[in-house]
Amino acid sequence: MRNAVKLTTAVLAAGALTLGLTACGSDKDDASDTSGPLIVAASPVPHAEILTYVKDNLAKDAGLDLQVKEFTDYVLPNTATEDGSVGANYFQNQPYLDDFNKKNGTHIVPVVTVHLEPLGLYSSKIKKADELKSGATVAVPNDTVNEARALKLLDANGIITLKDGAGNDATPKDIAKNPKNLKFKELEAAQTPRSLDDVDAAVINGNYAIESDLKPSEDALVLESADDNPYGNFLAVKEGNEDDPRVKKLAKLLTSTEVKKFIEDKYAGSVIASF
């Protein structure tokens, strides 16, 4: 039975305005007390599901009191970790965190990489990527790192060609060749699955694809390769909390053989263990 507390963007919008505001009220003391429960902010799928598996099956024997709080966006987990409302988070990759810390003055650091969610191109209108028509509209995430990641996916599959040197901040302005004159619709990452009826195709993050009952390993027209992929998702904490004994216990559990088997059995290639 899942005991995760769901916190929506609407409820917590005020918390994103100022890093000094707590997103979870009285949880701040619990998060900063290493003798209390470890509260972890996570995206619902697959992060909170993996954490809930750990909570229900492994944490007690390891002497870890684990609490899971679900967030539906990519901002509040970091601000809540920064202000101490939660003790850790699990939802992001290194390029995204680097960009977030730089733009927001936060001090979040990775602890251990757990899994990869391959980014994919999806469509409800075509069956193959080469069926995209001239002038087709493709939705892409609008945050800096995931938009660049989406464009790199299209580039890697010969759909567009990016300019030499296009990096983790690439935008459609960095496209050198666009043979099908594709148009790009920039949306919040969580909205991309919902856009499938309105666009010709959409590049969707793995967690949002799974939440929308898409199977990346089966439904994606093109899918990121796991080889040398820099977008593995990790457990993260505010700098200085890496040696928290609760965090060390969770890091060990998240990279256990039991969790690897859980990921393989539950997600069947749509989420890939990184350890």
Side-chain angles (χ1 to χ4, degrees):
M1 180 176 182
R2 296 181 63 180
N3 294 318
V5 179
K6 295 188 176 180
L7 300 179
T8 65
T9 303
V11 173
L12 293 171
L17 297 177
T18 306
L19 294 181
L21 296 178
T22 63
C24 311
S26 61
D27 292 334
K28 185 170 183 178
D29 290 339
D30 293 334
S32 60
D33 179 5
T34 59
S35 65
L38 177 64
I39 305 168
V40 183
S43 298
V45 179
H47 310 80
E49 292 180 342
I50 295 170
L51 288 169
T52 298
Y53 170 79
V54 171
K55 173 183 172 67
D56 292 346
N57 297 277
L58 306 174
K60 184 176 180 180
D61 287 344
L64 175 64
D65 184 357
L66 177 64
Q67 294 184 10
V68 184
K69 287 194 171 181
E70 295 185 8
F71 290 75
T72 58
D73 77 319
Y74 286 167
V75 175
L76 293 173
N78 275 336
T79 58
T81 304
E82 178 75 12
D83 69 28
S85 300
V86 300
N89 68 55
Y90 174 34
F91 78 100
Q92 65 192 320
N93 57 56
Q94 191 67 59
Y96 178 82
L97 176 60
D98 290 343
D99 182 69
F100 190 95
N101 278 336
K102 181 179 179 180
K103 289 181 176 178
N104 295 279
T106 45
H107 309 83
I108 312 301
V109 295
V111 175
V112 65
T113 301
V114 181
H115 76 269
L116 171 72
E117 302 159 28
L119 196 75
L121 177 69
Y122 299 83
S123 176
S124 60
K125 298 178 175 64
I126 58 175
K127 299 296 183 183
K128 297 180 180 179
D130 59 13
E131 294 176 1
L132 281 168
K133 297 179 180 179
S134 179
T137 299
V138 178
V140 294
N142 66 2
D143 64 272
T144 301
V145 171
N146 282 306
E147 181 169 44
R149 187 179 174 189
L151 295 174
K152 289 179 181 180
L153 173 69
L154 300 180
D155 175 87
N157 286 275
I159 299 170
I160 61 171
T161 301
L162 290 171
K163 297 175 182 177
D164 291 341
N168 291 329
D169 57 355
T171 72
K173 293 180 180 179
D174 294 297
I175 296 174
K177 295 180 181 179
N178 185 2
K180 293 195 174 184
N181 296 310
L182 299 178
K183 300 175 183 177
F184 294 94
K185 187 173 184 178
E186 297 167 309
L187 300 171
E188 183 182 351
Q191 302 299 320
T192 52
R194 303 171 197 172
S195 74
L196 285 174
D197 290 337
D198 302 317
V199 298
D200 297 288
V203 180
I204 303 174
N205 291 73
N207 61 312
Y208 292 130
I210 297 168
E211 284 181 37
S212 301
D213 295 325
L214 294 167
K215 295 182 179 180
S217 58
E218 298 177 12
D219 297 331
L221 305 183
V222 297
L223 194 65
E224 271 183 333
S225 170
D227 296 337
D228 299 320
N229 195 303
Y231 297 104
N233 284 203
F234 47 68
L235 179 70
V237 297
K238 185 175 182 179
E239 188 174 9
N241 294 336
E242 302 94 321
D243 292 329
D244 182 326
R246 303 168 303 168
V247 172
K248 287 187 172 182
K249 286 179 181 179
L250 180 57
K252 184 175 181 180
L253 294 177
L254 282 172
T255 54
S256 65
T257 55
E258 293 90 343
V259 167
K260 186 172 186 177
K261 186 176 187 304
F262 172 78
I263 291 173
E264 291 172 345
D265 291 348
K266 184 171 181 62
Y267 302 108
S270 294
V271 176
I272 302 168
S274 299
F275 55 93

